[in-house]
Every structure is written in structure tokens, then in C-alpha cells.
Amino acid sequence: MYHNELFGLRLRKLRNHNKETQKALAEYLGVKPNQIGEMENGRGATTLSKLALLCEHYNISADYLLGLTDEPRPLFPENEQRK
């Protein structure tokens, strides 16, 4: 089941693992840095198009970010090139 808090925790974990600032992620998504903070704190959500960008950016399935699975499966297999 989807919860903003779990989405936020997983987003923060991915961002920190990639040594990326909230500002850098905000620029990539085309949003303000405080919106990243709101998402990470479970007080904000995102659009489907930005969710897709996050999945591509971090090579992670939407199922993981949305809390539908606890397995962080890659979006793109290692042998497949991104288009």
C-alpha cells in the first residue's frame, strides 16, 4: 500500500546514495528544492511524469518507490542501454 512517508524515505535514501543534493534533484525534475524536501518528509507527492523521471534517473522500479515491493529492482537491466 502506498504511503507518502515510505516514498519519501526511499527517495531520500536513493538521493543520498547517489551523493546528490536536493537542489540538484530539483533542477533535474524542474521543481523547487523545497518540493524535494516536502516529498522526502512525506508531506508532498509528485506527478506521474516526475515519478517516471525519478525511476529513470535512479534506475529503480516505480513499484519500489511506491512501496508496492521491498525489492529495489532496476528499471533497466545491466545489459540494456538507456535510450
Side-chain angles (χ1 to χ4, degrees):
M1 177 180 272
Y2 174 76
H3 293 283
N4 279 352
E5 295 82 12
L6 182 58
F7 175 84
L9 288 171
R10 290 180 174 181
L11 177 59
R12 178 181 288 126
K13 181 179 176 181
L14 288 166
R15 185 180 57 75
N16 287 334
H17 178 77
N18 286 279
K19 297 178 176 65
E20 190 172 29
T21 64
Q22 286 184 347
K23 181 179 178 182
L25 181 57
E27 288 175 6
Y28 176 78
L29 294 177
V31 299
K32 295 180 181 179
N34 69 319
Q35 289 176 280
I36 302 299
E38 293 289 316
M39 284 190 285
E40 289 183 351
N41 289 320
R43 293 189 304 265
T46 189
T47 64
L48 288 175
S49 61
K50 291 194 179 13
L51 174 62
L53 283 174
L54 287 169
C55 292
E56 290 175 4
H57 185 63
Y58 292 124
N59 189 26
I60 198 80
S61 73
D63 288 349
Y64 175 73
L65 275 175
L66 295 173
L68 302 175
T69 183
D70 290 331
E71 184 181 336
R73 291 175 296 199
L75 181 62
F76 304 106
E78 289 182 34
N79 59 354
E80 183 180 316
Q81 296 288 332
R82 289 190 200 187
K83 295 180 180 179

